[in-house]
Amino acid sequence: MLSLVHFYGYNIPPFSHVKKFSPLKSKTRAFGIFASNKSHIYLANMEQERDQERSMDISLKDLSKQLEDFAKVRNWEKYHSPRNLLLAMVGEVGELSEIFQWRGEVDKGLPNWEESDKEHLGEELSDVLLYLIRLADICGIDLGDAAAKKILKNSIKYPEPKTKREFI
């Protein structure tokens, strides 16, 4: 089943075949795995791309480059200050929080959730991630490197317990 793609607050309809999109001639805003060719963006079949994405890893650098290209094509770079990106990300965290607001504790894997609720959760998690990546990029922080260093720092700060009794 095809569903809307959500990016930067826009719901984008999926495409059943590759379409040529001109931001100069259309009011539709689009994001996905895309390649820019002057003023045109080529959108791939979102259903097929989603299946392919499940089997491939996308690096933070790849996402950063896609976000940079996305902003450049739309001339949004002037709005992507650290403050603006942080506030936008906080807004997305609020939307993410709303999903859990009245559910109480939930089991791992969300076994009692509707598929549409899980999809919505994925969209909101993605919004937060994409803003975080863009914020790090604008601030000149290599997020992957910073995260790896933080994990190492935490492993030193919180070493593995020597015996099982330490858990009790």
Side-chain angles (χ1 to χ4, degrees), residues 3-8 10-15 17-19 21 28-36 40-50 52-53 56 58 62-71 73-74 76 126-127 130:
S3 62
L4 294 177
V5 176
H6 188 74
F7 185 72
Y8 274 43
Y10 297 103
N11 288 318
I12 313 304
F15 297 90
H17 61 286
V18 175
K19 273 196 159 186
F21 169 76
T28 304
R29 294 198 167 115
F31 180 78
I33 295 181
F34 64 88
S36 179
H40 295 92
I41 295 176
Y42 296 94
L43 297 169
N45 179 319
M46 298 307 289
E47 183 110 344
Q48 288 177 354
E49 292 295 332
R50 191 174 337 156
Q52 288 174 356
E53 286 178 22
M56 71 176 170
I58 298 175
D62 291 340
L63 289 173
S64 178
K65 178 66 174 137
Q66 286 184 9
L67 291 169
E68 180 183 359
D69 292 345
F70 186 87
V73 167
R74 288 155 182 80
W76 288 356
S126 296
D127 285 340
L130 295 173

Side-chain angles (χ1 to χ4, degrees), residues 1-165:
M1 177 178 188
L2 295 175
S3 62
L4 294 177
V5 176
H6 188 74
F7 185 72
Y8 274 43
Y10 297 103
N11 288 318
I12 313 304
F15 297 90
S16 59
H17 61 286
V18 175
K19 273 196 159 186
K20 191 171 172 183
F21 169 76
S22 171
L24 301 176
K25 297 178 184 174
S26 173
K27 293 181 182 177
T28 304
R29 294 198 167 115
F31 180 78
I33 295 181
F34 64 88
S36 179
N37 181 8
K38 295 187 180 176
S39 66
H40 295 92
I41 295 176
Y42 296 94
L43 297 169
N45 179 319
M46 298 307 289
E47 183 110 344
Q48 288 177 354
E49 292 295 332
R50 191 174 337 156
D51 291 341
Q52 288 174 356
E53 286 178 22
R54 287 183 186 136
S55 65
M56 71 176 170
D57 291 326
I58 298 175
S59 73
L60 292 176
K61 290 188 188 309
D62 291 340
L63 289 173
S64 178
K65 178 66 174 137
Q66 286 184 9
L67 291 169
E68 180 183 359
D69 292 345
F70 186 87
K72 217 174 258 186
V73 167
R74 288 155 182 80
N75 198 25
W76 288 356
E77 294 170 306
K78 59 189 169 206
Y79 305 114
H80 286 194
S81 67
R83 177 189 172 275
N84 287 349
L85 291 167
L86 175 63
L87 293 175
M89 185 176 68
V90 167
E92 294 299 336
V93 169
E95 290 182 29
L96 180 60
S97 299
E98 286 177 355
I99 295 172
F100 288 93
Q101 188 170 8
W102 305 112
R103 292 183 185 256
E105 288 301 318
V106 295
D107 295 328
K108 282 185 179 181
L110 313 174
N112 300 322
W113 285 35
E114 298 290 325
E115 200 56 42
S116 61
D117 291 335
K118 288 182 182 182
E119 187 173 335
H120 183 220
L121 175 61
E123 292 168 356
E124 297 306 332
L125 287 167
S126 296
D127 285 340
V128 172
L129 175 65
L130 295 173
Y131 275 118
L132 179 63
I133 291 169
R134 186 71 175 143
L135 176 60
D137 191 40
I138 293 297
C139 291
I141 303 296
D142 181 332
L143 194 56
D145 184 56
K149 287 178 181 175
K150 183 63 175 175
I151 290 170
L152 178 61
K153 189 175 182 178
N154 284 345
S155 71
I156 294 167
K157 186 175 180 179
Y158 306 104
E160 292 181 34
K162 299 193 188 314
T163 65
K164 290 185 180 183
R165 280 198 236 171

